[in-house]
């Protein structure tokens, strides 16, 4: 049953299983295990980024396609939901059609980019995605009457998903059972389902074919696979998943703007998360996203503590000053790539070599 | 009864690379169930002729007909679907995947299941069985779990042949299949090719340098020289031709090998 749910793709390493279970349990019970707004924000972000990073890995790790347009698809989903909610009011109807519209637009964009540029060299596809994504970001910031420009959009979501809504009056384990909690579980369950769907896709005959195309497109054609169709379909699936992750973010934040969805910085974060976790395995997305976001969120705090504690040691305390957190994140990244070139998951599966 | 077309035919097939004519007006037709050896010195255009038939290169002029139908402008996968299969002179596999997965992918392509998104690949037991069957035939079953990149060269050559056998097309083109294999592996592969021809009634085109192999397998020999077809006929007749003797002497064909031929045959 469990193997079926995981599409036969079990972690195949004791330590990896343990880590994944820790992440799963922590996210499933986050509101109760880690009370407080900030930790709930972090948990929701992790859920959403697991989907986003996994969908990028579908493209990069499985199909071997380098795209810089992933945040564009993420943004298309977020803006789809945001625009629907802000123009037609905070009902479930607008939420659903906005999300669906975002996914469809993402699919159409992906199809167009794919057919236009996947026939030729890989580098050309990468350049086209970069150009289209930059143009899209400019377009969104220029169309401020519609998109709110750089300020983005604030909107209302269905009341049942907001803190104002109380499901029951008593607290459970000291936690208020309100709409925010419901919103978190919406994010959690939808993310889990999307992840399992992607896990199925990568273990399907289609997913296996993607790996063949990545390994040797020339031979894949010679045994009868139409490589362009496979690459285009992978691009579309990845775009739709990214758009759905974007919609989740739009619902969770009740705000959508360029900085939270479209920025190049997020694109780079996604790349780093895929590489740290391990390319070509969706479990890598889980670990990569979790570790990266935890580091991003808490490294600064941690370093603040370290700096205070070591204020007597002059050089060390300067080095761990909280402003330097980005430097340390960079160092962590270089170390992880150096020691785990195949990512954390690749390393764990290879055993202790 | 309508006239039967030869299964495969090339008409005046030509390709130019700049000023260089690599295949020069080659016309030949191939009957069902025949095994034709294609010989010629290095750079004669044998591999290029294969590339034109299976579609990796597009002809400058001329035509390729399969069952009488022109496939000259079709893409590689389209031609594969219609029954042209190809193994490569330079090993051309899926290096990060396992040996079994390489063959399974061929079986999957043949079953047209590549666009199945929602079933688990491993649940298609018949594809795995097919893969293992072919691996047993080429004596690679013991290494089924290994990653291809880690295989020794001889085993990669065997897998190259295995992929084509798994494809089981109407027309099968082998480009020096036994080059780089150890002496005891060669007969296994040659037996398999012979079986494909006789039991499965496949049409086989075989590029091969070893005269003993050709003598024992081929019904017919075609000789290419500087891209042009210079001889075509029964093996004994063709081998006796001066132009062949010359071409083969040009390639230093070891008279020893030719002399040893009767033993092997
Ligand atoms: N893509 C290409 N571009 C330019 N020239 C090419 C190309 N492919 C082949 N040639 C040239 O065409 C000629 C024929 O090459 P081909 O590989 O077909 O020879 P071959 O008969 O298979 O030789 P060998 O016995 O060494 O395998 C050679 O001169 C080669 O350099
Ligand atoms: Mg050749």
């Amino acid at each position: 049953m469990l193997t079926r749910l995981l599409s036969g793709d079990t972690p195949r390493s004791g330590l990896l299983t343990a880590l994944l279970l820790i992440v799963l349990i922590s996210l499933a019970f986050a509101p109760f295990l880690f009370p407080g707004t900030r930790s709930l924000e972090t948990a929701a972000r992790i859920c959403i980024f697991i989907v986003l990073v996994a969908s990028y890995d579908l493209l990069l790790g499985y199909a071997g396609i380098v795209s810089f347009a992933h945040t564009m698809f993420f943004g298309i989903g977020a803006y789809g939901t945001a625009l629907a909610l802000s123009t037609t009011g905070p009902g479930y109807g607008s939420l659903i059609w906005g999300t669906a519209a975002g996914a469809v637009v993402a699919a159409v964009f992906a199809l167009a980019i794919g057919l236009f540029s996947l026939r030729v060299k890989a580098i050309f596809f990468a350049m086209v995605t970069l150009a289209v994504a930059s143009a899209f970001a400019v377009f969104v910031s220029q169309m401020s009457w519609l998109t709110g420009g750089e300020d983005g959009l604030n909107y209302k979501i269905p009341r049942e998903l907001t803190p104002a809504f109380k499901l029951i009056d008593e607290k459970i384990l000291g936690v208020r059972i309100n709409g925010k909690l419901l919103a978190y579980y919406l994010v959690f369950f939808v993310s889990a389902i999307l992840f399992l769907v992607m896990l199925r896709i990568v273990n399907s005959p289609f997913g296996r074919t993607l790996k063949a195309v990545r390994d040797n497109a020339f031979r894949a054609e010679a045994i009868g696979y139409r490589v362009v169709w496979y690459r285009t379909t992978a691009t579309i699936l990845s775009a739709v998943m990214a758009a759905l992750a974007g919609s989740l973010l739009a619902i969770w934040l009740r705000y959508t703007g360029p900085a939270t969805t479209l920025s190049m910085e997020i694109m780079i974060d996604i790349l780093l998360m895929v590489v740290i976790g391990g390319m070509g395995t969706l479990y890598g997305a889980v670990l990569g996203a979790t570790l990266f976001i935890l580091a991003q969120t808490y490294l600064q705090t941690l370093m603040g503590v370290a700096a205070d504690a070591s204020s007597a040691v002059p050089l060390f305390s300067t080095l761990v000053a909280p402003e330097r957190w980005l430097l340390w994140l960079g160092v962590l990244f270089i170390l992880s790539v150096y020691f785990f070139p195949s990512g954390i998951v690749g390393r764990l599966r290879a055993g202790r070599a | 009864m309508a006239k039967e077309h030869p299964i495969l035919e090339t008409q005046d097939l030509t390709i130019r690379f700049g000023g260089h004519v690599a295949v020069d007006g080659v016309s030949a037709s191939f009957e069902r169930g025949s095994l034709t050896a294609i010989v010629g010195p290095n750079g004669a255009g044998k591999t290029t002729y294969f590339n034109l038939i299976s579609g990796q290169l597009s002809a400058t002029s001329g035509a390729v007909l399969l069952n009488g139908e022109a496939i000259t402008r079709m893409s590689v996968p389209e031609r594969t679907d219609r029954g042209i299969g190809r193994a490569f002179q330079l090993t051309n596999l899926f290096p990060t995947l396992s040996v079994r997965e390489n063959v399974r992918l061929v079986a999957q392509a043949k079953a047209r299941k590549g666009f199945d998104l929602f079933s688990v690949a491993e649940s298609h037991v018949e594809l795995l069985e097919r893969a293992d069957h072919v691996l047993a035939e080429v004596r690679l079953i013991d290494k089924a779990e290994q990653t291809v990149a880690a295989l020794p060269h001889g085993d990669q050559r065997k897998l190259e042949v295995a992929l084509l056998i798994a494809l089981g097309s109407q027309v099968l083109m082998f480009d020096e299949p036994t080059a780089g294999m150890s002496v005891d592996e060669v007969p296994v592969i040659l037996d398999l090719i012979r079986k494909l021809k006789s039991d499965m009634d496949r049409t086989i085109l075989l590029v091969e340098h070893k005269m003993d192999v050709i003598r024992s397998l081929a019904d017919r020999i075609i000789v290419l020289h500087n891209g042009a077809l210079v001889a075509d006929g029964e093996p004994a007749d063709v081998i006796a031709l001066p132009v062949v003797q010359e071409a083969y002497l040009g390639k230093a064909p070891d008279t020893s090998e030719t002399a040893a031929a009767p033993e092997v045959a």
Side-chain angles (χ1 to χ4, degrees):
Chain A
M1 170 63 199
L2 185 63
T3 323
R4 246 182 91 80
L5 202 62
L6 299 180
S7 305
D9 189 356
T10 50
R12 286 187 282 129
S13 147
L15 192 51
L16 178 58
T17 311
L19 286 174
L20 290 171
L21 278 176
I22 292 173
V23 173
L24 176 68
I25 291 168
S26 306
L27 290 176
F29 301 103
F32 305 97
L33 291 173
F34 316 103
T37 326
R38 186 159 176 226
S39 28
L40 198 61
E41 290 298 326
T42 310
R45 248 180 102 70
I46 290 175
C47 292
I48 292 167
F49 270 76
I50 286 175
V51 175
L52 185 62
V53 173
S55 65
Y56 191 67
D57 192 34
L58 182 65
L59 206 57
L60 181 68
Y62 286 86
I65 298 171
V66 179
S67 160
F68 294 105
H70 212 59
T71 45
M72 176 178 85
F73 297 123
F74 187 50
I76 288 175
Y79 275 97
T81 306
L83 284 170
L85 287 169
S86 55
T87 53
T88 59
Y92 289 102
S94 9
L95 192 151
I96 289 168
W97 81 252
T99 302
V104 169
V105 171
V108 171
F109 265 59
L111 175 68
I113 299 177
L115 286 182
F116 175 64
S117 55
L118 279 173
R119 297 175 179 279
V120 280
K121 286 215 165 67
I123 184 75
F124 186 67
F125 180 80
M127 304 296 273
V128 168
T129 56
L130 190 59
V132 172
S134 315
F136 185 80
V138 172
F139 172 80
V140 166
S141 77
Q142 296 295 306
M143 300 275 287
S144 49
W145 58 272
L146 183 67
T147 62
E150 289 299 320
D151 295 336
L153 296 165
N154 281 293
Y155 40 86
K156 289 199 167 70
I157 61 172
R159 204 182 104 81
E160 291 76 13
L161 298 174
T162 63
F165 173 77
K166 285 208 176 46
L167 199 62
I168 46 176
D169 279 333
E170 311 91 85
K171 291 180 170 185
I172 294 181
L173 301 168
V175 177
R176 251 187 219 93
I177 308 304
N178 61 13
K180 194 71 186 166
L181 192 81
L182 290 184
Y184 176 76
Y185 279 107
L186 176 74
V187 168
F188 173 79
F189 281 111
V190 173
S191 299
I193 291 168
L194 292 178
F195 182 81
L196 291 176
V197 168
M198 283 188 275
L199 198 60
R200 172 54 64 93
I201 290 174
V202 299
N203 286 291
S204 71
F206 174 80
R208 294 292 190 84
T209 312
L210 286 187
K211 285 187 163 185
V213 167
R214 171 200 69 192
D215 255 27
N216 187 345
F218 178 85
R219 188 56 183 261
E221 292 241 307
I223 59 177
Y225 294 114
R226 286 161 173 78
V227 165
V228 180
W229 297 3
Y230 284 90
R231 286 191 174 139
T232 305
T233 307
T235 310
I236 294 171
L237 288 170
S238 157
V240 167
M241 288 293 168
L244 293 175
S247 296
L248 283 180
L249 186 77
I251 294 165
W252 174 252
L253 290 180
R254 286 176 280 165
Y255 163 81
T256 294
T260 56
T261 55
L262 294 172
S263 80
M264 222 350 110
E265 223 168 288
I266 299 177
M267 187 65 241
I268 291 168
D269 290 352
I270 297 172
L271 257 165
L272 295 184
M273 290 184 233
V274 168
V275 172
I276 291 172
M279 279 197 276
T281 148
L282 291 192
Y283 294 123
V286 176
L287 296 186
T290 306
L291 289 177
F292 192 91
I293 290 172
L294 285 179
Q296 217 178 23
T297 318
Y298 295 107
L299 197 59
Q300 233 171 330
T301 322
L302 205 70
M303 288 172 61
V305 175
D308 286 346
S310 64
S311 52
V313 195
L315 182 66
F316 185 73
S317 69
T318 334
L319 272 178
V320 296
E323 314 84 79
R324 299 217 184 359
W325 74 278
L326 205 60
L327 171 81
W328 284 101
L329 198 60
V331 170
L332 280 181
F333 174 67
I334 292 167
L335 287 179
S336 77
V337 172
Y338 185 79
F339 286 108
F340 317 124
S342 52
I344 298 170
V345 171
R347 177 66 180 201
L348 290 177
R349 277 184 171 169
R352 42 198 171 264
Chain B
M1 221 172 99
K3 178 183 171 298
E4 276 240 356
H5 292 284
I7 183 155
L8 177 71
E9 192 176 354
T10 66
Q11 295 175 341
D12 219 4
L13 199 61
T14 303
I15 187 166
R16 255 183 220 102
F17 297 115
H20 180 66
V21 188
V23 171
D24 191 357
V26 175
S27 298
S29 62
F30 303 91
E31 298 302 329
R32 253 173 216 83
S34 64
L35 194 153
T36 308
I38 298 174
V39 302
N42 292 113
K46 304 176 297 288
T47 299
T48 308
Y49 185 56
F50 273 12
N51 283 335
L52 289 171
I53 294 172
S54 53
Q56 279 80 19
L57 291 171
S58 313
T60 313
S61 63
V64 181
L65 307 177
L66 186 69
N67 291 312
E69 188 194 358
I71 58 167
T72 325
R73 297 287 152 226
M74 285 182 186
S75 68
V76 173
E78 249 175 305
R79 296 185 202 205
T80 308
D81 276 357
R82 280 167 192 256
I84 291 192
R86 169 77 194 277
F88 294 86
Q89 181 176 7
L90 299 173
T91 303
N92 204 328
L93 305 162
F94 303 107
T96 72
L97 308 180
S98 74
V99 170
R100 176 180 287 124
E101 178 65 4
N102 267 258
V103 186
R104 200 199 63 82
L105 280 162
V106 177
Q108 179 184 283
K110 203 169 140 71
R112 296 177 196 243
K113 291 210 169 121
F115 261 101
D116 179 343
L117 281 153
F118 296 110
S119 69
V120 176
E122 296 292 320
S123 71
H124 297 273
V125 182
E126 71 290 354
L127 302 181
L128 289 165
E129 283 169 353
R130 172 82 186 128
D132 282 357
H133 178 74
V134 174
L135 287 175
E137 282 191 328
V138 300
R139 316 261 166 96
L140 267 180
I141 189 73
D142 295 341
K143 304 193 172 175
E145 312 286 335
Q146 290 191 19
T147 302
V148 167
L151 286 185
H153 180 69
D155 286 339
Q156 294 197 3
R157 292 301 304 160
K158 284 206 270 182
L159 185 55
E160 180 68 44
V161 173
L163 293 199
L164 184 49
I165 290 175
L167 198 55
S169 313
Q170 286 298 312
V171 175
L172 298 161
M173 302 194 287
F174 293 91
D175 200 344
E176 301 195 30
T178 61
M181 268 182 212
S182 70
V183 192
D184 49 323
E185 287 163 337
V186 172
V188 175
I189 298 303
L190 295 182
D191 275 348
L192 281 172
I193 294 178
R194 192 178 288 121
K195 246 173 60 192
L196 280 170
K197 181 195 141 194
S198 53
D199 302 355
M200 314 279 290
D201 202 31
R202 300 300 188 231
T203 306
I204 296 169
L205 275 60
L206 172 71
V207 170
E208 188 51 81
H209 282 304
K210 297 184 194 102
M211 272 301 163
D212 53 339
V213 170
I214 294 171
R215 257 197 257 265
S216 78
L217 285 183
D219 311 317
R220 171 188 174 198
I221 301 182
I222 283 180
V223 184
L224 293 183
H225 195 79
N226 290 332
L229 190 154
V230 294
D232 180 351
E234 299 270 319
D237 303 342
V238 172
I239 290 170
L241 291 174
V243 61
V244 175
Q245 295 292 330
E246 189 190 325
Y248 268 82
L249 288 171
K251 200 201 160 329
D254 21 271
T255 22
S256 61
E257 214 174 24
T258 318
E263 270 174 54
V264 181

PDB file of all heavy atoms in Angstrom, chain B residues 41-48 50-51 86 89-90 175-176 207 209, ligand 2:
ATOM      1  N   PRO B  41      36.369  -0.201 -47.671  1.00  0.00           N
ATOM      2  CA  PRO B  41      37.429   0.283 -46.786  1.00  0.00           C
ATOM      3  C   PRO B  41      36.927   1.376 -45.843  1.00  0.00           C
ATOM      4  O   PRO B  41      35.804   1.854 -45.990  1.00  0.00           O
ATOM      5  CB  PRO B  41      38.458   0.847 -47.762  1.00  0.00           C
ATOM      6  CG  PRO B  41      37.740   1.090 -49.037  1.00  0.00           C
ATOM      7  CD  PRO B  41      36.598   0.127 -49.082  1.00  0.00           C
ATOM      8  N   ASN B  42      37.749   1.764 -44.900  1.00  0.00           N
ATOM      9  CA  ASN B  42      37.376   2.840 -43.979  1.00  0.00           C
ATOM     10  C   ASN B  42      37.032   4.093 -44.768  1.00  0.00           C
ATOM     11  O   ASN B  42      37.721   4.438 -45.720  1.00  0.00           O
ATOM     12  CB  ASN B  42      38.526   3.167 -43.026  1.00  0.00           C
ATOM     13  CG  ASN B  42      38.784   2.027 -42.064  1.00  0.00           C
ATOM     14  OD1 ASN B  42      39.813   1.378 -42.119  1.00  0.00           O
ATOM     15  ND2 ASN B  42      37.834   1.775 -41.213  1.00  0.00           N
ATOM     16  N   GLY B  43      35.948   4.736 -44.350  1.00  0.00           N
ATOM     17  CA  GLY B  43      35.553   5.971 -45.022  1.00  0.00           C
ATOM     18  C   GLY B  43      34.832   5.745 -46.330  1.00  0.00           C
ATOM     19  O   GLY B  43      34.564   6.691 -47.074  1.00  0.00           O
ATOM     20  N   ALA B  44      34.446   4.493 -46.617  1.00  0.00           N
ATOM     21  CA  ALA B  44      33.786   4.198 -47.884  1.00  0.00           C
ATOM     22  C   ALA B  44      32.354   4.731 -47.922  1.00  0.00           C
ATOM     23  O   ALA B  44      31.777   4.898 -48.993  1.00  0.00           O
ATOM     24  CB  ALA B  44      33.772   2.698 -48.125  1.00  0.00           C
ATOM     25  N   GLY B  45      31.771   4.966 -46.750  1.00  0.00           N
ATOM     26  CA  GLY B  45      30.402   5.476 -46.709  1.00  0.00           C
ATOM     27  C   GLY B  45      29.394   4.470 -46.187  1.00  0.00           C
ATOM     28  O   GLY B  45      28.189   4.685 -46.303  1.00  0.00           O
ATOM     29  N   LYS B  46      29.868   3.387 -45.567  1.00  0.00           N
ATOM     30  CA  LYS B  46      28.953   2.348 -45.087  1.00  0.00           C
ATOM     31  C   LYS B  46      28.045   2.875 -43.976  1.00  0.00           C
ATOM     32  O   LYS B  46      26.820   2.728 -44.026  1.00  0.00           O
ATOM     33  CB  LYS B  46      29.754   1.142 -44.585  1.00  0.00           C
ATOM     34  CG  LYS B  46      30.711   0.573 -45.628  1.00  0.00           C
ATOM     35  CD  LYS B  46      31.553  -0.556 -45.070  1.00  0.00           C
ATOM     36  CE  LYS B  46      32.484  -0.193 -43.928  1.00  0.00           C
ATOM     37  NZ  LYS B  46      33.654   0.621 -44.281  1.00  0.00           N
ATOM     38  N   THR B  47      28.670   3.498 -42.979  1.00  0.00           N
ATOM     39  CA  THR B  47      27.874   4.028 -41.871  1.00  0.00           C
ATOM     40  C   THR B  47      26.951   5.140 -42.365  1.00  0.00           C
ATOM     41  O   THR B  47      25.795   5.250 -41.936  1.00  0.00           O
ATOM     42  CB  THR B  47      28.807   4.540 -40.757  1.00  0.00           C
ATOM     43  OG1 THR B  47      29.583   3.448 -40.279  1.00  0.00           O
ATOM     44  CG2 THR B  47      28.035   5.142 -39.611  1.00  0.00           C
ATOM     45  N   THR B  48      27.459   5.941 -43.273  1.00  0.00           N
ATOM     46  CA  THR B  48      26.637   7.029 -43.806  1.00  0.00           C
ATOM     47  C   THR B  48      25.429   6.470 -44.568  1.00  0.00           C
ATOM     48  O   THR B  48      24.312   6.996 -44.455  1.00  0.00           O
ATOM     49  CB  THR B  48      27.492   7.927 -44.716  1.00  0.00           C
ATOM     50  OG1 THR B  48      28.664   8.320 -44.003  1.00  0.00           O
ATOM     51  CG2 THR B  48      26.726   9.160 -45.151  1.00  0.00           C
ATOM     52  N   PHE B  50      23.895   3.689 -43.888  1.00  0.00           N
ATOM     53  CA  PHE B  50      22.959   3.303 -42.820  1.00  0.00           C
ATOM     54  C   PHE B  50      22.229   4.528 -42.275  1.00  0.00           C
ATOM     55  O   PHE B  50      21.022   4.504 -42.054  1.00  0.00           O
ATOM     56  CB  PHE B  50      23.718   2.613 -41.682  1.00  0.00           C
ATOM     57  CG  PHE B  50      23.896   1.130 -41.871  1.00  0.00           C
ATOM     58  CD1 PHE B  50      23.624   0.525 -43.088  1.00  0.00           C
ATOM     59  CD2 PHE B  50      24.315   0.339 -40.807  1.00  0.00           C
ATOM     60  CE1 PHE B  50      23.779  -0.845 -43.262  1.00  0.00           C
ATOM     61  CE2 PHE B  50      24.476  -1.032 -40.963  1.00  0.00           C
ATOM     62  CZ  PHE B  50      24.215  -1.628 -42.185  1.00  0.00           C
ATOM     63  N   ASN B  51      22.998   5.594 -42.037  1.00  0.00           N
ATOM     64  CA  ASN B  51      22.374   6.807 -41.482  1.00  0.00           C
ATOM     65  C   ASN B  51      21.295   7.354 -42.403  1.00  0.00           C
ATOM     66  O   ASN B  51      20.298   7.919 -41.946  1.00  0.00           O
ATOM     67  CB  ASN B  51      23.434   7.883 -41.238  1.00  0.00           C
ATOM     68  CG  ASN B  51      24.242   7.618 -39.982  1.00  0.00           C
ATOM     69  OD1 ASN B  51      23.771   6.940 -39.070  1.00  0.00           O
ATOM     70  ND2 ASN B  51      25.454   8.142 -39.935  1.00  0.00           N
ATOM     71  N   ARG B  86      18.228  -0.160 -35.890  1.00  0.00           N
ATOM     72  CA  ARG B  86      19.593   0.237 -36.163  1.00  0.00           C
ATOM     73  C   ARG B  86      20.439   0.048 -34.916  1.00  0.00           C
ATOM     74  O   ARG B  86      20.042   0.468 -33.829  1.00  0.00           O
ATOM     75  CB  ARG B  86      19.548   1.721 -36.560  1.00  0.00           C
ATOM     76  CG  ARG B  86      20.864   2.433 -36.639  1.00  0.00           C
ATOM     77  CD  ARG B  86      21.557   2.050 -37.916  1.00  0.00           C
ATOM     78  NE  ARG B  86      22.934   2.466 -37.855  1.00  0.00           N
ATOM     79  CZ  ARG B  86      23.361   3.688 -38.134  1.00  0.00           C
ATOM     80  NH1 ARG B  86      22.505   4.619 -38.506  1.00  0.00           N
ATOM     81  NH2 ARG B  86      24.626   3.980 -38.066  1.00  0.00           N
ATOM     82  N   GLN B  89      27.824   1.686 -34.726  1.00  0.00           N
ATOM     83  CA  GLN B  89      29.228   1.282 -34.753  1.00  0.00           C
ATOM     84  C   GLN B  89      29.937   1.749 -33.484  1.00  0.00           C
ATOM     85  O   GLN B  89      30.665   1.011 -32.859  1.00  0.00           O
ATOM     86  CB  GLN B  89      29.894   1.889 -35.991  1.00  0.00           C
ATOM     87  CG  GLN B  89      31.352   1.532 -36.147  1.00  0.00           C
ATOM     88  CD  GLN B  89      31.927   2.087 -37.438  1.00  0.00           C
ATOM     89  OE1 GLN B  89      31.280   2.839 -38.162  1.00  0.00           O
ATOM     90  NE2 GLN B  89      33.159   1.713 -37.729  1.00  0.00           N
ATOM     91  N   LEU B  90      29.667   3.013 -33.126  1.00  0.00           N
ATOM     92  CA  LEU B  90      30.192   3.528 -31.876  1.00  0.00           C
ATOM     93  C   LEU B  90      29.089   3.340 -30.854  1.00  0.00           C
ATOM     94  O   LEU B  90      27.978   3.810 -31.037  1.00  0.00           O
ATOM     95  CB  LEU B  90      30.538   5.013 -32.009  1.00  0.00           C
ATOM     96  CG  LEU B  90      31.599   5.289 -33.067  1.00  0.00           C
ATOM     97  CD1 LEU B  90      31.781   6.777 -33.265  1.00  0.00           C
ATOM     98  CD2 LEU B  90      32.917   4.630 -32.673  1.00  0.00           C
ATOM     99  N   ASP B 175      26.065  -2.412 -37.475  1.00  0.00           N
ATOM    100  CA  ASP B 175      27.271  -1.748 -37.969  1.00  0.00           C
ATOM    101  C   ASP B 175      28.475  -2.280 -37.188  1.00  0.00           C
ATOM    102  O   ASP B 175      28.723  -1.863 -36.064  1.00  0.00           O
ATOM    103  CB  ASP B 175      27.124  -0.232 -37.790  1.00  0.00           C
ATOM    104  CG  ASP B 175      28.078   0.543 -38.688  1.00  0.00           C
ATOM    105  OD1 ASP B 175      29.028  -0.063 -39.206  1.00  0.00           O
ATOM    106  OD2 ASP B 175      27.860   1.766 -38.855  1.00  0.00           O
ATOM    107  N   GLU B 176      29.170  -3.207 -37.762  1.00  0.00           N
ATOM    108  CA  GLU B 176      30.308  -3.871 -37.120  1.00  0.00           C
ATOM    109  C   GLU B 176      29.967  -4.344 -35.706  1.00  0.00           C
ATOM    110  O   GLU B 176      30.591  -3.916 -34.735  1.00  0.00           O
ATOM    111  CB  GLU B 176      31.525  -2.932 -37.115  1.00  0.00           C
ATOM    112  CG  GLU B 176      31.906  -2.544 -38.526  1.00  0.00           C
ATOM    113  CD  GLU B 176      33.298  -1.936 -38.618  1.00  0.00           C
ATOM    114  OE1 GLU B 176      34.154  -2.307 -37.806  1.00  0.00           O
ATOM    115  OE2 GLU B 176      33.517  -1.109 -39.518  1.00  0.00           O
ATOM    116  N   VAL B 207      27.251  -4.443 -41.671  1.00  0.00           N
ATOM    117  CA  VAL B 207      28.572  -3.937 -42.048  1.00  0.00           C
ATOM    118  C   VAL B 207      29.589  -4.744 -41.277  1.00  0.00           C
ATOM    119  O   VAL B 207      29.471  -4.886 -40.051  1.00  0.00           O
ATOM    120  CB  VAL B 207      28.718  -2.438 -41.705  1.00  0.00           C
ATOM    121  CG1 VAL B 207      30.173  -2.006 -41.876  1.00  0.00           C
ATOM    122  CG2 VAL B 207      27.816  -1.599 -42.569  1.00  0.00           C
ATOM    123  N   HIS B 209      33.884  -6.250 -41.339  1.00  0.00           N
ATOM    124  CA  HIS B 209      35.180  -6.309 -42.005  1.00  0.00           C
ATOM    125  C   HIS B 209      35.728  -7.731 -42.083  1.00  0.00           C
ATOM    126  O   HIS B 209      36.524  -8.043 -42.947  1.00  0.00           O
ATOM    127  CB  HIS B 209      36.207  -5.438 -41.261  1.00  0.00           C
ATOM    128  CG  HIS B 209      36.049  -3.979 -41.567  1.00  0.00           C
ATOM    129  ND1 HIS B 209      36.088  -3.488 -42.850  1.00  0.00           N
ATOM    130  CD2 HIS B 209      35.843  -2.907 -40.766  1.00  0.00           C
ATOM    131  CE1 HIS B 209      35.921  -2.173 -42.811  1.00  0.00           C
ATOM    132  NE2 HIS B 209      35.761  -1.801 -41.568  1.00  0.00           N
TER     133      HIS B 209
HETATM  134 MG1  LIG C   2      31.433   3.059 -40.284  1.00  0.00          MG
END
